[in-house]
Structure formats: C-alpha cells, structure tokens
Amino acid sequence: MPSGRSYLARMNRVFSGIQPSGELHIGNYLGAVRNWVALQSQHECIFCIVNLHAITQPYDPRELPARTMEMALGLLAAGLDPDKCTLFVQSHVPEHTELAWALSVVAPKGDLERMTQFKEKSAREETVPAALLNYPVLQAADILLYRANLVPVGEDQLQHLELSREIARRWNARFGEDFFPEPQPLLTSAKRIVGLDGNAKMSKSLGNTIGVLDSPEVIWEKLRPAVTDPARKTRKDPGNPDLCNLFSLHQFFSAPAEVTHVAEQCRTAGWGCLDCKRLLADNMIAALEPIRERAAELKAHPERVRAVLERGAAHCRDLARETMARVRDLMGFVPAAGAH
Ligand code: SF4
C-alpha cells in the first residue's frame, strides 16, 4: 500500500471496484484486472471489493464472506501488489454509505431511472428495491470519497461514470466549492469477453466462465464443448475466425504467429475446432500457471489476504474521514461532541 503520500498533494488517483463473485474468471481478468495490475505501477490506485453493491441483487448472506475472500485472493494472485496499490472491502469503510446519502440529495431521480442497468435489472424483479435505483449514487460515492480523478471503465460503465460526474458537479454547485473532482474515464481497450456459450458476457451466474484458478483439466473440460463459428458444422467446413469467440481468446493467450496460423487453419478448414481449442487450452494453462501458483501460496496462508484487506481498509478509512469531515462541514452539520 502506498504510504506517506499527502492526500491533497497527489497527482492521479485511480479508483475501481469489482463484485465479490468468488471466482475471478478470465472475463474479469482480461477485461479489468490485467489493466489494474498495469495501472498500479503508473498511478496511486485504490481497488475495492464492492460487497455493498452485491447485496442489491438476490444473494445468500452465508456465502458472501467466502465469495469476498475468494475474490481478494484471486486479485492478489492475479498480480495486485499491496506495496503498490490499496485493496479493501467496501463495507469496511462505512463512509461509503454516508457519502452516498449526502450525494443522493443532488442525484436526479429521473437520471437514475434512465440508467440502462437499472432498467435491465429492475425488469427482472417483481418488487424493485430502492437500492437498485440508488446503485449509481453509491458508485459515485465510492469514487468521490477518495476524490479519485481516474476510473478505468469499459463501454458498459460509461453511463454510470457520466452520472458520477454530474453528481459531483451538482454537489459542488449546491454546496459552494469545487471539492469533488469530476472523475475521468480511463477506457480499457479490451473487448467485452463473451462467455463460452458464445451468447452473453462471461459471468459466473451464467455458468459460461473459465476461472483464472481452474486446473488444467477443468480448463480443457470447459473449452472442449465451447461454442465456435456456427458455420463449422463439420471438420471440412471452413470458418470465419472473426465470428468465433475462441479466436478472440487466442488473441489474448497465443503468440502473434500462432494467431495468424489459427486464422489460416480456420479459414481453410486446415484443422478442426478441437485442434484449435487444444492449442488455446495449452497457451491459457501456461499463461495462468504463475497465477495458480501464487494462489496456492495464498491459500496456504489466508492470514496474508486478511492482513492486506485490513491494511487497505485502515488506509481508506483515513482518507474517507478526511473527505467526510469536509463534506459534513460544507453541508452544515453540527460537529459531534468530541469530534476533532
Ligand atoms: S477453428 Fe478455431 S477459430 Fe475457427 S471456428 Fe474453430 S475454434 Fe473458432
């Protein structure tokens, strides 16, 4: 964790969050976490496991602790380095919800109702929880609590980030000071990682993922039946690699010369999809091997994961206290007796 840096004299501060879905899968890894690992050497970075966001969807409270710790372990194994970045669990810093409430007074209800994710998720619910509507306000609070100015996002999160910027502008205008910076997007170049079923985004709840920590056998078991270009009905039918999700995975895991060879073999039906999948599996297994090794080490020492999260939360609580003292002051709250 970075230490001794002045809160106000900083340069760029990056904030990003990830759901405590348990397994870190290659969709999370290629779409976000790999980029976080690079960013931690370029900026001051704060990464958060967003368990307060997770509870806006149906979930089992008995499973949430294990899912949270598993995600923390996965992130550290994937390369987040606690000496270079801060990693913590959202609920360990209660100021997230306090700031969300303070920001909700300037968050336009109409904008919240227009959010694509709200419309999609609420359409699936019989009774729509208020938390689902307020989800983007909590997201704004996550970022603004640390006065972060850069947020790595995919295209699908741009709308929420724009709302965070709007909330920051409105709050600054209402309470008379440019206290919150308007966070800027750091657009990730990675394409959306499609699930092995070829239909939807890779997601644990859809069962179409490959876990970053899956064993070589499991990786092969999952890749073997994965959906490819539907034009390749038989071994002799040529395919179009651009229509095949597995080809996009080759672009992440295979060497450039291999990627060219895969495309040729696909277009000429030089080899079958199974040959292609075998090469992908071998390359993926080799690329993920160091992550699996680090994970095994951390599984043998779970206290190390807990210590990282404790240090992360302590650092974030310090930053959050500083922000909230100013927020309470600007909003006209009488200081509590004994408060400094
Ligand atoms: S040969 Fe490879 S790239 Fe072509 S359709 Fe099959 S799995 Fe996809």
Side-chain angles (χ1 to χ4, degrees):
M1 184 195 321
S3 59
R5 296 186 194 183
S6 161
Y7 185 16
L8 297 172
R10 62 187 168 75
M11 295 291 284
N12 286 320
R13 179 176 284 154
V14 171
F15 180 92
S16 199
I18 192 164
Q19 291 270 346
S21 54
E23 169 194 68
L24 180 68
H25 58 67
I26 59 168
N28 310 131
Y29 179 64
L30 300 174
V33 176
R34 212 174 49 136
N35 185 36
W36 293 5
V37 173
L39 286 172
Q40 69 182 349
S41 302
Q42 299 161 16
H43 304 292
E44 181 189 350
C45 291
I46 299 176
F47 299 121
C48 178
I49 301 176
V50 292
N51 56 350
L52 298 176
H53 286 283
I55 62 171
T56 60
Q57 296 278 282
Y59 78 105
D60 186 341
R62 289 164 304 183
E63 289 175 5
L64 190 56
R67 280 170 39 195
T68 306
M69 295 309 291
E70 230 183 286
M71 178 52 76
L73 184 144
L75 292 170
L76 294 173
L80 289 193
D81 177 349
D83 289 328
K84 293 183 179 167
C85 70
T86 299
L87 176 66
F88 76 108
V89 176
Q90 192 180 23
S91 64
H92 292 174
V93 184
E95 285 87 349
H96 283 255
T97 42
E98 186 185 356
L99 182 58
W101 182 251
L103 296 176
S104 70
V105 300
V106 296
K109 177 169 163 276
D111 285 3
L112 294 172
E113 285 168 340
R114 272 193 292 279
M115 291 292 114
T116 308
Q117 276 191 24
F118 171 70
K119 287 196 266 186
E120 284 173 5
K121 287 181 181 169
S122 60
R124 297 197 290 262
E125 304 287 343
E126 210 168 294
T127 307
V128 179
L132 207 53
L133 182 69
N134 290 325
Y135 188 110
V137 184
L138 182 58
Q139 264 187 338
D142 298 339
I143 301 162
L144 299 179
L145 188 57
Y146 304 106
R147 303 175 74 237
N149 56 334
L150 292 176
V151 181
V153 281
E155 295 278 349
D156 57 342
Q157 280 297 322
L158 267 179
Q159 194 187 31
H160 279 186
L161 184 62
E162 185 45 51
L163 184 59
S164 293
R165 291 158 54 79
E166 174 68 19
I167 289 172
R169 274 193 296 273
R170 283 174 178 255
W171 194 94
N172 288 343
R174 171 75 180 80
F175 297 102
E177 192 176 293
D178 278 343
F179 181 64
F180 290 121
E182 285 180 35
Q184 305 295 323
L186 260 180
L187 264 180
T188 51
S189 53
K191 287 192 289 184
R192 201 170 82 134
I193 310 299
V194 176
L196 297 179
D197 50 10
N199 290 325
K201 186 174 170 178
M202 194 170 270
S203 153
K204 191 174 181 202
S205 59
L206 298 173
N208 61 5
T209 62
I210 291 181
V212 165
L213 305 183
D214 279 348
S215 68
E217 297 73 29
V218 170
I219 289 178
W220 178 237
E221 269 167 36
K222 288 180 174 176
L223 269 184
R224 205 173 37 185
V227 171
T228 63
D229 176 6
R232 295 213 72 183
K233 290 194 181 63
T234 72
R235 169 74 178 70
K236 289 184 192 142
D237 296 324
N240 179 353
D242 297 329
L243 299 179
C244 177
N245 181 36
L246 298 192
F247 183 67
S248 42
L249 291 179
H250 266 295
Q251 290 168 320
F252 284 113
F253 290 106
S254 302
E258 282 177 321
V259 173
T260 308
H261 186 63
V262 165
E264 277 166 17
Q265 294 298 311
C266 179
R267 288 203 171 91
T268 58
W271 63 13
C273 286
L274 216 54
D275 305 311
C276 185
K277 288 172 174 176
R278 188 64 253 180
L279 177 66
L280 176 60
D282 290 345
N283 290 342
M284 196 183 282
I285 289 163
L288 299 178
E289 180 62 27
I291 300 180
R292 272 196 306 279
E293 280 173 10
R294 282 196 291 270
E297 177 75 15
L298 289 167
K299 275 181 191 163
H301 298 281
E303 72 285 358
R304 290 186 196 163
V305 180
R306 283 195 295 274
V308 168
L309 296 178
E310 274 168 30
R311 280 171 58 201
H315 177 60
C316 287
R317 279 195 294 266
D318 285 347
L319 300 181
R321 261 196 294 273
E322 208 174 326
T323 298
M324 288 314 299
R326 190 76 188 120
V327 166
R328 290 185 206 114
D329 184 36
L330 285 169
M331 292 186 82
F333 299 161
V334 176
H340 302 292

